Coordinates of all heavy atoms in Angstrom, one line a residue:
T1388 N 109.8 -29.0 -22.2 CA 109.3 -27.8 -21.9 C 108.4 -27.8 -20.6 O 108.0 -28.8 -20.1 CB 108.3 -27.3 -23.1 OG1 107.2 -28.2 -23.1 CG2 109.1 -27.4 -24.5
Y1390 N 105.5 -26.8 -20.4 CA 104.2 -27.3 -20.7 C 104.1 -28.8 -20.7 O 103.2 -29.3 -20.1 CB 103.8 -26.8 -22.3 CG 102.6 -27.5 -22.8 CD1 101.3 -27.4 -22.3 CD2 102.7 -28.5 -23.8 CE1 100.1 -28.0 -22.7 CE2 101.6 -29.2 -24.2 CZ 100.3 -29.0 -23.7 OH 99.2 -29.7 -24.2
Y1391 N 105.1 -29.4 -21.3 CA 105.2 -30.8 -21.2 C 105.3 -31.3 -19.9 O 104.5 -32.3 -19.5 CB 106.5 -31.3 -22.0 CG 106.7 -32.8 -21.9 CD1 106.3 -33.6 -23.0 CD2 107.5 -33.3 -20.9 CE1 106.5 -34.9 -23.0 CE2 107.7 -34.8 -20.9 CZ 107.2 -35.5 -21.9 OH 107.5 -36.9 -21.9
A1394 N 101.7 -30.9 -18.4 CA 100.7 -31.8 -19.0 C 100.9 -33.2 -18.6 O 99.9 -34.0 -18.2 CB 100.6 -31.5 -20.4
R1397 N 100.3 -33.9 -14.8 CA 98.9 -33.7 -14.4 C 98.1 -35.0 -14.8 O 97.4 -35.6 -13.8 CB 98.2 -32.7 -15.3 CG 96.7 -32.6 -15.4 CD 96.3 -31.5 -16.2 NE 94.8 -31.5 -16.5 CZ 94.2 -32.1 -17.6 NH1 95.0 -32.5 -18.5 NH2 92.9 -32.2 -17.7
H1422 N 94.3 -39.9 -24.5 CA 93.9 -38.7 -25.3 C 94.7 -37.5 -24.8 O 95.1 -36.7 -25.7 CB 92.4 -38.6 -25.2 CG 91.9 -37.3 -25.9 ND1 91.8 -37.3 -27.3 CD2 91.4 -36.1 -25.5 CE1 91.4 -36.1 -27.7 NE2 91.1 -35.3 -26.6
E1423 N 94.8 -37.3 -23.5 CA 95.4 -36.2 -23.0 C 97.0 -36.3 -23.1 O 97.7 -35.4 -23.4 CB 95.1 -36.0 -21.5 CG 93.6 -35.5 -21.3 CD 93.4 -34.2 -21.9 OE1 94.1 -33.3 -21.6 OE2 92.3 -34.1 -22.7
I1424 N 97.5 -37.5 -22.9 CA 98.9 -37.7 -23.0 C 99.3 -37.3 -24.5 O 100.4 -36.8 -24.7 CB 99.3 -39.0 -22.7 CG1 99.3 -39.3 -21.2 CG2 100.7 -39.5 -23.3 CD1 100.6 -38.6 -20.4
N1425 N 98.4 -37.7 -25.4 CA 98.8 -37.4 -26.9 C 98.7 -36.0 -27.3 O 99.2 -35.6 -28.3 CB 97.9 -38.2 -27.8 CG 98.3 -39.6 -27.9 OD1 99.5 -39.9 -28.2 ND2 97.4 -40.6 -27.8
K1426 N 98.4 -35.0 -26.3 CA 98.5 -33.6 -26.5 C 99.8 -33.0 -26.0 O 99.9 -31.8 -26.1 CB 97.4 -33.1 -25.8 CG 95.9 -33.3 -26.3 CD 94.9 -32.5 -25.5 CE 93.4 -32.8 -25.9 NZ 92.5 -32.2 -25.0
T1427 N 100.7 -33.8 -25.6 CA 101.9 -33.3 -24.9 C 103.1 -33.1 -25.8 O 104.1 -32.5 -25.4 CB 102.3 -34.2 -23.7 OG1 102.6 -35.6 -24.2 CG2 101.2 -34.2 -22.6
G1428 N 103.1 -33.6 -27.0 CA 104.3 -33.7 -27.9 C 105.1 -35.0 -27.6 O 105.8 -34.9 -26.6
N1429 N 104.9 -35.9 -28.4 CA 105.6 -37.2 -28.2 C 105.8 -37.8 -29.5 O 105.3 -37.5 -30.6 CB 104.7 -38.0 -27.3 CG 103.3 -38.2 -27.9 OD1 102.4 -37.4 -27.6 ND2 103.1 -39.2 -28.7
Y1452 N 108.1 -35.1 -33.4 CA 107.1 -35.2 -32.3 C 105.7 -34.8 -32.8 O 105.5 -34.0 -33.7 CB 107.5 -34.1 -31.2 CG 108.5 -34.6 -30.3 CD1 109.9 -34.4 -30.5 CD2 108.1 -35.1 -29.1 CE1 110.8 -34.8 -29.6 CE2 109.1 -35.5 -28.2 CZ 110.5 -35.4 -28.5 OH 111.4 -36.0 -27.5
N1453 N 104.7 -35.7 -32.2 CA 103.3 -35.3 -32.6 C 102.7 -34.2 -31.7 O 102.4 -34.4 -30.6 CB 102.5 -36.6 -32.3 CG 103.1 -37.8 -33.0 OD1 103.3 -37.7 -34.2 ND2 103.2 -38.9 -32.4
N1454 N 102.9 -33.0 -32.2 CA 102.3 -31.8 -31.5 C 101.0 -31.5 -31.9 O 100.7 -31.2 -33.0 CB 103.3 -30.6 -31.7 CG 104.7 -30.8 -31.0 OD1 104.6 -31.3 -29.8 ND2 105.6 -30.4 -31.6
T1455 N 100.0 -31.5 -31.0 CA 98.6 -31.2 -31.4 C 98.1 -30.0 -30.7 O 97.1 -29.5 -30.9 CB 97.7 -32.4 -30.9 OG1 97.7 -32.6 -29.5 CG2 98.1 -33.6 -31.6
Q1456 N 99.0 -29.4 -29.7 CA 98.6 -28.3 -28.9 C 99.7 -27.2 -28.9 O 100.9 -27.5 -28.9 CB 98.4 -28.6 -27.5 CG 97.4 -29.7 -27.3 CD 95.9 -29.3 -27.5 OE1 95.6 -28.3 -27.0 NE2 95.2 -30.1 -28.3
D1457 N 99.2 -25.9 -29.0 CA 100.1 -24.8 -28.8 C 100.1 -24.4 -27.4 O 99.0 -24.1 -26.9 CB 99.8 -23.6 -29.7 CG 100.0 -24.0 -31.1 OD1 101.0 -24.7 -31.4 OD2 99.3 -23.5 -32.0
F1458 N 101.2 -24.1 -26.7 CA 101.3 -23.6 -25.4 C 101.2 -21.9 -25.6 O 102.2 -21.3 -26.1 CB 102.6 -24.0 -24.8 CG 103.0 -23.4 -23.4 CD1 102.1 -22.9 -22.7 CD2 104.3 -23.4 -23.0 CE1 102.4 -22.4 -21.4 CE2 104.7 -22.9 -21.9 CZ 103.7 -22.4 -20.9
L1459 N 100.1 -21.4 -25.1 CA 99.9 -20.0 -25.4 C 100.2 -19.1 -24.3 O 100.7 -18.0 -24.6 CB 98.3 -19.9 -25.7 CG 97.7 -20.5 -27.0 CD1 96.3 -20.2 -27.1 CD2 98.5 -20.2 -28.2
N1478 N 102.9 -17.9 -26.9 CA 102.8 -18.0 -28.3 C 101.6 -17.1 -28.7 O 100.8 -16.8 -28.0 CB 102.5 -19.4 -28.8 CG 103.7 -20.3 -28.8 OD1 104.6 -20.0 -29.6 ND2 103.8 -21.3 -28.0
E1485 N 89.5 -20.3 -30.0 CA 89.2 -21.1 -28.8 C 90.3 -21.5 -28.2 O 91.3 -22.1 -28.8 CB 88.2 -22.3 -29.3 CG 87.7 -23.1 -28.2 CD 86.9 -24.3 -28.5 OE1 87.3 -25.2 -29.1 OE2 85.6 -24.3 -28.2
V1486 N 90.3 -21.5 -26.8 CA 91.4 -22.0 -26.0 C 91.0 -22.8 -25.0 O 89.8 -22.9 -24.7 CB 92.1 -20.8 -25.4 CG1 92.8 -19.9 -26.5 CG2 91.3 -19.9 -24.4
E1487 N 91.9 -23.6 -24.3 CA 91.6 -24.5 -23.2 C 92.5 -24.2 -22.1 O 93.7 -23.9 -22.3 CB 91.7 -26.0 -23.6 CG 91.4 -26.9 -22.5 CD 91.7 -28.4 -23.0 OE1 92.4 -28.6 -23.9 OE2 91.2 -29.3 -22.3
F1488 N 91.9 -24.2 -20.8 CA 92.8 -24.1 -19.7 C 93.1 -25.4 -19.1 O 92.2 -26.2 -18.9 CB 92.1 -23.1 -18.6 CG 92.1 -21.8 -19.0 CD1 91.1 -21.3 -19.7 CD2 93.2 -20.9 -18.7 CE1 91.0 -19.8 -20.2 CE2 93.2 -19.6 -19.1 CZ 92.1 -19.1 -19.8
L1489 N 94.4 -25.8 -19.0 CA 94.9 -27.2 -18.7 C 94.3 -27.7 -17.4 O 93.8 -28.9 -17.4 CB 96.4 -27.2 -18.7 CG 97.0 -28.6 -18.5 CD1 96.6 -29.5 -19.7 CD2 98.5 -28.4 -18.5
K1494 N 87.0 -24.8 -21.6 CA 87.3 -24.2 -22.9 C 86.4 -22.9 -23.1 O 85.4 -22.8 -22.5 CB 86.9 -25.2 -24.0 CG 87.8 -26.4 -24.0 CD 87.4 -27.3 -25.2 CE 88.3 -28.6 -25.3 NZ 88.0 -29.5 -26.4
I1531 N 97.9 -23.2 -17.2 CA 98.4 -23.1 -18.6 C 97.2 -22.9 -19.5 O 96.1 -23.6 -19.5 CB 99.2 -24.2 -18.9 CG1 100.4 -24.2 -18.3 CG2 99.3 -24.4 -20.6 CD1 101.4 -25.4 -18.6
M1532 N 97.3 -21.9 -20.5 CA 96.3 -21.8 -21.5 C 96.9 -22.3 -22.9 O 98.0 -22.0 -23.2 CB 96.0 -20.3 -21.7 CG 94.8 -20.1 -22.7 SD 94.4 -18.4 -22.7 CE 95.7 -17.6 -23.8
R1533 N 96.1 -23.2 -23.5 CA 96.6 -23.8 -24.8 C 95.6 -23.8 -25.9 O 94.5 -23.6 -25.6 CB 97.0 -25.3 -24.5 CG 96.0 -26.2 -24.0 CD 96.5 -27.6 -23.7 NE 95.3 -28.5 -23.3 CZ 95.7 -29.8 -23.0 NH1 96.9 -30.3 -22.9 NH2 94.7 -30.6 -22.7
R1534 N 96.0 -24.2 -27.1 CA 95.1 -24.2 -28.2 C 95.3 -25.4 -29.1 O 96.6 -25.8 -29.3 CB 95.3 -22.9 -29.1 CG 94.6 -22.8 -30.5 CD 95.1 -21.5 -31.1 NE 96.5 -21.6 -31.4 CZ 97.4 -20.6 -31.4 NH1 96.8 -19.3 -31.4 NH2 98.6 -20.6 -31.7
S1535 N 94.3 -26.0 -29.5 CA 94.5 -27.3 -30.4 C 95.0 -26.7 -31.7 O 94.7 -25.6 -32.3 CB 93.1 -27.8 -30.7 OG 92.6 -28.3 -29.6

Side-chain angles (χ1 to χ4, degrees):
T1388 66
Y1390 167 70
Y1391 177 93
R1397 168 180 169 263
H1422 178 71
E1423 291 297 307
I1424 284 289
N1425 279 314
K1426 295 179 180 179
T1427 60
N1429 55 271
Y1452 275 91
N1453 304 313
N1454 288 319
T1455 65
Q1456 305 288 311
D1457 290 326
F1458 175 21
L1459 299 180
N1478 281 294
E1485 185 180 65
V1486 298
E1487 179 185 17
F1488 289 90
L1489 181 60
K1494 295 181 180 180
I1531 283 177
M1532 187 173 78
R1533 64 184 180 181
R1534 173 185 58 211
S1535 294

